[in-house]
Amino acid sequence: MSRPVRYVVFCLGVVGLAILLAPAVAHLPAFGSTFHPYRTLAVAAAVAHRTANVVSAINFDQRGLDTFGEESIFLASVAGAALLLRPGEHETERRPLGHARMLDATRLLGYVLLPLSTILGLDLISHGNVTPGGGFQGGVVLGTGLHLLYVAGSYDALEKMRPTTLFEWGEAIGAGSYGALGVAGLLASGAFLANFVPLGHFGALFSGGTVPLLNIAVGIEVASGGAILLSHFLRQAMFTEPAGGGRRASGERDE
Amino acid sequence: MKGLIYFVAFFLLIIGAFGIARSKDLVHAVVCLSVAQAGTYVLLLAVGYQHHASPPVFGSPASRPTRDVVDPLVQAMALTDIVVSATVTALLLAISIQIAKRNHSVDPDELNAVEG
Amino acid sequence: MAHFDHGAAALLPLAVAVPMLGASVMLALGRHVSRLVRDLFAIAIAAGVTGLSGYFLAVASSGRIVNWVATWTPLGHRSVGIVLEVDPMGAGIALLAAGLVTCALIFSLRYLESDTGHFHLLVLCFLAGMEGFALTGDLFDLFVFLELMGASAYALTAHNIEDPQALQGGLNFGIINSLGAYVSLMGIGLLYAKTGVLQLPLLGAKLAGHRPGPLVIAAFVLIFTGLLVKSGVVPFHFWLADAHAVAPAPVCMLFSAVMDPLGVYAAFRVYWTVFSPTIAPAHARVAFLSLGVATAVIGAVMCCAQRHIKRLLAYSTIAHVGLFFCALGLLREDGTAAAALYAAGHAGIKGALFLLCGMLLDRYGNVDELHLFGKGRGSPHLGLLFGLCGFALAGLPPFGLALGKALAEKAAIDQHLYWMVALFVLVSALTGGAVLRVTARVFLGLGDRPKGDAEYRAVGTERPPAQRLQALPAAALSAIGVLIAGTLALGVLPGARDAAERAAAAFIDRSGYLANALGHAGHQLAIAPSAPNWDLRGVLLGIASALLAAGFAAASCYGRRILVHVPALRLGTRAVLRALHRVHSGHIGDYVAWLMAGCAILAGLIGLPLR
Amino acid sequence: MTAILAACLLLVAAAGLAVVLTGDPARQALTLSALSLLLALLFLALEAPDVALSEIGIGTAIVPLMVMLAVRKIHAPGKVDSRSAGR
């Protein structure tokens, strides 16, 4: 279809949607109202299982299957991206040579931020059951934190710290432990993902039973998977090129 | 307020979709898709909001939760949604990179590998 | 539907957990073991899930299996947990999914190059997604598993990164399906805002007895948009042909045979459990039937207009999805039973056809009907199977597909919808005829040698010529054989119709679904008197479709000779086809525009009659 | 509070529009992280710190990084066209 025809079809759709949605929004409960029946139940259930962060309680305890599905999506996507970003038939992966020329300040920043982000990530994961954050957020921080090394220009160091196989193991162990904890619940108390671990005290570091354990599992998976994901994009962008292509191996460097 | 927040939610969805429809670059289209998804976050959190309520996190160990909190379920849903967004974006960007290699173009107008 | 089997209930989540654990193991060890070990491991996992699903089906046929995950059983009418609730229909489609994944993996024993295990991993994730999608009774969980199916499927579609068509097909698939899923999620949000629950049975209970207000209609339209995209219903179908034509053959087979029917299944599951008490069947029927007819007709016409064989099969799937929609859209037990049998039979035949295409690609490096003209003479076995599947697709008894078609026609006649009988006969004859035309041209070299095949773009190959297989691999043939035999068994085994009718009765029984979810015994469903599978009218209609298909194939083989003498007809056909081709542009922007327009059309179809 | 919320919403809508209207994907990576930052602020205003944290991690770091790397691969001069020799 030509562009104008496409826009006409699109706009007709939007007009129809507007006619559909405007009265629907008018019939919604008022914004900020006190009508939250699920909230009342979920808070009570979280308190009963001594999980201070109710969002974590929902994610890992009350609706743990959703999060299992979510982690599966993550696993599938990382594997899918790895599959799609593999070097093609006529491509080779060039090894990076030497260090990039980077401003010392940038480099320093990278080295300073790395431990900070590591600590922040670990903190987010370990306190996910009591404070905002959790395995996913902490894992993201950890996974990206490693890439600060790249910002610091030391790709070799990154390659040493980020052996893909090890991270694949990490991701597999993280994702596998989530499922394994679910099966353990089945074996221990007869229900998949049942909260079978002692619950501890409300607000304590190890409270909420399986919630902190599942948080750690997700943290390991997301940190490793995130590192793999970024490393595939990085390799593709920096070091994959046509076999026998006329470009000099060390020709181009960082931005 | 209610009108505004739901309008923004659907506005993001539609403007993101519109961005894909007029896109001349696949990477641009993929980014527009994540704009469309941002609409879902806004909608979900709007549904769960309550005036003068706190976040659904009872940080301090001693205090038993007595105060009102906003709906934590929509937040859990939004969290899942954000993960989905990131992973789908990664996959679609990976495909776009490969399309650029095979077709020497990422303009949807110039891609004609499939039709009819 | 009174008793619960707690053993089976406890095992329900394993249908998702087992393939995911398998995928984790594959990620950790896939690189380090040989190809054969990876293959066998994945097959073992898929076979295990098949066994598990079969067990669920056996248990569910005497009562729904209910599992509130992690024991969050409801207090009164409320629970914070996710419920998995399985009736025979859900267990049946879960079994179909797992069985077909097993077949696909067996077929790909020697088919796909993969040295990391990522292909197997993605297939296992895809399986987990389908199982969760089939078994869950929670609206948001449905969305999560929809996305899991999606994420694995996008990557599997674009698996062959050397093929521009595969990449573009994967991209269109990913963008449209994701956008559809986000639209669905907005609908879920609206429904949650109104009711405060997410579990399907409880949602239905909340909406029961209320007139469908604007909010419910909007939620219905938005939620269905995502599900209809997944099903490939017109005008949300554009991505389907692009993706199904280009994915590796065993993956295409899974898409066509289970993934699209799963979308249809979920749409009607959500309709019956959530919306049926407020948007009554009498109102919803018009919308469902209109969508079904449009899908069936456009799918059938586009199917006949293709020369890329996999693309042809993809459009034939769209046409059949339209027929399923028509049968289910009657919103009655008999139509639902018919659609279940029809979809199961279709899965076997369409699966076999896609695998046969994979073998064609393997041998000749091409699936262009005209390019392959007469080249298949050396493969009589493939040709025989192809022709057989063509007749089965057209509805030749005694295949299960024909049984489903016959029952759907019977249901339509009972409702005095005679046009629908004509639609079923015509659409299945056209799609079957298109496959027979391919058989005649490729394997028999019948008809006029087509001109102009040099102008056609090369069709994506899946394997460089040097690696093409000469002999037909036994594993691949056995997978195809199992699929065809299974479809045949469905039609001839006594009791298939009874089982389908019982499954359909449970599927549309909303109050029983709710009662069982809450731990109560549902009321006893009246068991219809046992009926024989076939009746004379159905057999005759089936034979008529098959003959019509053969006639259509002959006419299109020698069509040019006829059409030359009827310029008006020729020009008319050409104009229609050109317009359709222009709409099916492969352009992602067009598809998004149609998705929006489709939302509006759906809103009009469902909303206007309720005004 | 309502004023802050309204301001956040309007900013988010404007940023969303800006991302869509930015034709050049390299710049889009920047507008997208701005949108994510504003979204995170909005989520904080809506009392959703968990979601805000995720959005910051994903929306302002990982996704723009992937977009930039993809753009670099696709649009780097000579990068794409040199592929034609290999085909």
Side-chain angles (χ1 to χ4, degrees):
Chain A
M1 297 195 297
S2 65
R3 217 159 249 275
V5 179
R6 186 191 313 152
Y7 292 158
V8 168
V9 173
F10 188 92
C11 290
L12 288 179
V14 170
V15 169
L17 265 182
I19 296 171
L20 174 76
L21 293 173
V25 168
H27 279 73
L28 278 171
F31 175 73
S33 80
T34 51
F35 173 75
H36 297 292
Y38 204 114
R39 181 262 324 263
T40 317
L41 294 176
V43 169
V47 171
H49 278 193
R50 296 182 206 141
T51 313
N53 181 347
V54 187
V55 180
S56 283
I58 291 180
N59 267 332
F60 296 106
D61 191 355
Q62 300 166 24
R63 297 178 64 91
L65 190 66
D66 276 348
T67 309
F68 188 45
E70 172 199 314
E71 295 319 308
S72 308
I73 296 173
F74 189 81
L75 184 78
S77 301
V78 172
L83 190 71
L84 294 173
L85 292 176
R86 68 187 189 269
E89 276 170 25
H90 307 288
E91 287 177 328
T92 52
E93 205 164 90
R94 169 169 60 82
R95 297 303 304 162
L97 300 173
H99 290 279
R101 264 172 264 112
M102 288 291 279
L103 286 175
D104 284 345
T106 324
R107 210 163 192 172
L108 189 66
L109 187 72
Y111 285 128
V112 171
L113 282 179
L114 176 69
L116 277 181
S117 71
T118 310
I119 292 169
L120 177 65
L122 290 176
D123 182 68
L124 281 173
I125 295 175
S126 58
H127 289 87
N129 51 331
V130 277
T131 58
F136 181 74
Q137 293 91 335
V140 168
V141 172
L142 276 183
T144 7
L146 280 174
H147 283 263
L148 288 170
L149 272 188
Y150 161 71
V151 174
S154 159
Y155 190 83
D156 285 346
L158 187 57
E159 279 297 283
K160 282 194 196 93
M161 280 189 63
R162 194 189 52 192
T164 311
T165 319
L166 196 67
F167 280 108
E168 278 188 350
W169 275 81
E171 197 191 1
I173 288 170
S177 344
Y178 200 113
L181 277 165
V183 175
L186 181 61
L187 297 177
S189 52
F192 185 77
L193 281 173
N195 198 336
F196 65 100
V197 175
L199 294 170
H201 294 288
F202 190 83
L205 186 57
F206 287 103
S207 58
T210 47
V211 174
L213 301 179
L214 291 172
N215 251 324
I216 293 170
V218 170
I220 297 173
E221 178 188 349
V222 173
S224 324
I228 295 176
L229 193 64
L230 285 176
S231 90
H232 277 290
F233 271 93
L234 200 63
R235 283 184 175 169
Q236 183 63 234
M238 299 292 165
F239 307 115
T240 305
E241 56 184 29
R247 295 167 63 82
R248 286 273 305 125
S250 55
E252 117 251 50
R253 268 295 157 219
D254 207 279
E255 43 264 86
Chain B
M1 197 63 208
K2 174 173 142 189
L4 178 66
I5 194 160
Y6 288 108
F7 172 78
V8 170
F10 285 108
F11 174 78
L12 287 174
L13 179 78
I14 287 170
I15 198 78
F18 180 70
I20 305 174
R22 72 182 272 279
S23 180
K24 286 189 159 296
D25 186 314
L26 290 179
V27 177
H28 175 266
V30 173
V31 173
C32 287
L33 185 66
S34 61
V35 173
Q37 190 164 24
T40 63
Y41 315 150
V42 175
L43 180 107
L44 286 174
L45 294 183
V47 165
Y49 185 70
Q50 177 175 337
H51 288 305
H52 314 298
S54 330
V57 181
F58 304 106
S60 64
S63 74
R64 277 272 152 179
T66 46
R67 60 217 152 95
D68 260 345
V69 295
V70 301
D71 190 343
L73 179 73
V74 290
Q75 301 194 4
M77 285 159 73
L79 279 177
T80 303
D81 200 16
I82 289 177
V83 180
V84 168
S85 156
T87 56
V88 167
T89 307
L91 279 176
L92 294 178
L93 285 176
I95 297 180
S96 305
I97 288 178
Q98 298 293 2
I99 288 183
K101 289 187 203 163
R102 309 301 149 210
N103 295 55
H104 317 297
S105 166
V106 281
D107 183 349
D109 294 336
E110 291 170 14
L111 301 178
N112 52 2
V114 292
E115 63 188 33
Chain C
M1 295 268 162
H3 93 104
F4 301 105
D5 185 316
H6 291 288
L11 295 181
L12 274 185
L14 291 186
V16 180
V18 168
M20 282 322 299
L21 286 170
S24 308
V25 172
M26 189 64 79
L27 178 65
L29 302 178
R31 274 182 204 286
H32 311 288
V33 297
S34 75
R35 172 85 197 265
L36 187 66
V37 176
R38 284 198 297 268
D39 277 329
L40 292 181
F41 177 75
I43 291 173
I45 296 274
V49 177
T50 311
L52 201 59
S53 312
Y55 170 60
F56 295 152
L57 181 58
V59 176
S61 54
S62 59
R64 290 191 186 81
I65 316 173
V66 177
N67 180 345
W68 288 89
V69 178
T71 63
W72 289 99
T73 38
L75 302 166
H77 265 59
R78 293 273 182 73
S79 169
V80 291
I82 292 171
V83 63
L84 303 178
E85 182 159 7
V86 183
D87 56 14
M89 198 75 88
I93 201 155
L95 175 64
L96 188 70
L100 285 172
V101 167
T102 316
C103 275
L105 286 168
I106 291 176
F107 180 85
S108 31
L109 263 174
R110 289 183 56 195
Y111 190 77
L112 282 170
E113 302 305 318
S114 154
D115 55 354
T116 52
H118 282 359
F119 173 77
H120 294 91
L121 187 159
L122 286 168
V123 171
L124 289 176
C125 289
F126 189 50
L127 172 61
M130 292 195 290
E131 292 289 315
F133 195 70
L135 302 181
T136 190
D138 185 282
L139 201 50
F140 186 68
D141 210 36
L142 202 69
F143 167 81
V144 169
F145 286 116
L146 182 78
E147 287 287 359
L148 176 55
M149 283 201 292
S152 347
Y154 313 149
L156 284 171
T157 304
H159 175 266
N160 184 358
I161 55 168
E162 305 296 329
D163 177 5
Q165 297 186 8
L167 295 166
Q168 203 182 334
L171 191 86
N172 289 354
F173 181 16
I175 290 184
I176 290 298
N177 268 262
S178 305
L179 197 59
Y182 304 156
V183 173
S184 277
L185 186 56
M186 294 217 129
I188 295 173
L190 290 186
L191 206 54
Y192 176 76
K194 181 179 170 64
T195 59
V197 290
L198 285 174
Q199 299 91 348
L200 300 177
L202 305 186
L203 277 169
K206 288 268 178 195
L207 296 183
H210 296 290
R211 267 182 53 77
L215 185 53
V216 171
I217 294 174
F220 176 91
V221 170
L222 296 180
I223 291 174
F224 267 64
T225 296
L227 300 176
L228 296 184
V229 168
K230 201 76 196 170
S231 324
V233 167
V234 170
F236 306 102
H237 66 291
F238 295 97
W239 65 274
L240 191 147
D242 295 354
H244 290 40
V246 297
V251 176
C252 288
M253 158 205 165
L254 294 178
F255 287 178
S256 256
V258 243
M259 187 177 74
D260 307 327
L262 261 173
V264 181
Y265 158 86
F268 282 90
R269 166 72 77 206
V270 169
Y271 172 73
W272 280 113
T273 54
V274 177
F275 291 103
S276 67
T278 170
I279 304 178
H283 290 293
R285 206 161 102 157
V286 183
F288 288 136
L289 290 185
S290 318
L291 291 172
V293 172
T295 310
V297 169
I298 290 183
V301 172
M302 287 303 288
C303 170
C304 298
Q306 302 302 314
R307 49 188 279 192
H308 182 310
I309 304 174
K310 277 164 85 180
R311 211 168 161 80
L312 180 152
L313 292 177
Y315 278 113
S316 136
T317 299
I318 294 177
H320 278 94
V321 162
L323 295 183
F324 304 157
F325 237 78
C326 283
L328 286 160
L330 291 172
L331 297 178
R332 288 164 50 85
E333 181 188 320
D334 49 3
T336 307
L341 277 176
Y342 205 168
H346 170 264
I349 293 302
K350 192 54 68 61
L353 277 168
F354 268 114
L355 294 187
L356 286 167
C357 269
M359 300 186 95
L360 271 182
L361 257 182
D362 238 7
R363 294 201 120 186
Y364 306 107
N366 203 323
V367 283
D368 177 14
E369 178 184 347
L370 302 190
H371 177 87
L372 288 179
F373 184 81
K375 289 198 177 128
R377 287 202 190 94
S379 323
H381 298 98
L382 282 188
L384 195 67
L385 289 172
F386 227 92
L388 186 67
C389 288
F391 276 116
L393 198 63
L396 182 74
F399 287 97
L401 190 145
L403 178 58
K405 171 171 162 290
L407 292 177
E409 287 156 353
K410 183 173 177 304
I413 291 173
D414 287 350
Q415 296 289 298
H416 306 292
L417 298 171
Y418 299 105
W419 57 267
M420 201 195 267
V421 181
L423 181 82
F424 270 85
V425 170
L426 212 62
V427 166
S428 48
L430 281 176
T431 54
V435 173
L436 290 177
R437 182 192 74 200
V438 170
T439 316
R441 282 188 178 154
V442 172
F443 296 100
L444 301 173
L446 287 184
D448 300 323
R449 175 170 280 278
K451 291 178 203 157
D453 44 348
E455 300 158 17
Y456 198 66
R457 288 185 311 274
V459 175
T461 55
E462 301 192 2
R463 194 194 287 275
Q467 293 172 26
R468 282 181 201 147
L469 303 181
Q470 292 314 312
L472 299 179
L477 269 183
S478 67
I480 295 171
V482 165
L483 289 173
I484 297 179
T487 313
L488 192 62
L490 206 60
V492 297
L493 281 184
R497 179 179 168 184
D498 280 345
E501 276 170 0
R502 276 200 302 276
F507 186 71
I508 67 175
D509 169 30
R510 186 187 68 82
S511 54
Y513 190 79
L514 172 66
N516 287 174
L518 296 176
H520 311 309
H523 63 89
Q524 201 68 35
L525 287 176
I527 306 273
S530 141
N533 282 355
W534 296 92
D535 62 3
L536 184 63
R537 189 174 53 195
V539 173
L540 288 180
L541 280 171
I543 293 174
S545 306
L547 288 178
L548 211 58
F552 169 73
S556 47
C557 281
Y558 298 97
R560 209 177 298 138
R561 292 183 201 171
I562 306 166
L563 277 181
V564 163
H565 303 296
V566 199
L569 186 62
R570 192 186 62 197
L571 293 176
T573 324
R574 192 175 291 173
V576 169
L577 287 182
R578 191 170 295 165
L580 276 175
H581 272 299
R582 196 163 296 160
V583 173
H584 294 76
S585 56
H587 193 296
I588 185 62
D590 291 351
Y591 293 5
V592 169
W594 279 111
L595 188 132
M596 283 298 174
C599 275
I601 293 171
L602 187 59
L605 282 174
I606 203 78
L608 291 182
L610 288 169
R611 287 268 137 203
Chain D
M1 194 61 215
T2 319
I4 297 177
L5 214 52
C8 282
L9 279 169
L10 290 175
L11 284 173
V12 162
L17 193 62
V19 175
V20 168
L21 295 182
T22 312
D24 174 15
R27 283 181 197 202
Q28 246 190 335
L30 297 179
T31 42
L32 182 67
S33 30
L35 170 66
S36 300
L37 213 57
L38 290 169
L39 276 172
L41 282 179
L42 174 67
F43 296 164
L44 278 180
L46 288 170
E47 312 292 350
D50 279 275
V51 187
L53 268 175
S54 282
E55 180 63 28
I56 287 180
I58 289 290
T60 62
I62 290 204
V63 170
L65 188 57
M66 287 191 304
V67 171
M68 280 198 286
L69 289 169
V71 170
R72 190 190 152 90
K73 178 70 183 178
I74 292 173
H75 293 290
K79 195 107 198 172
V80 170
D81 296 324
S82 68
R83 266 301 285 132
S84 53
R87 268 194 95 202

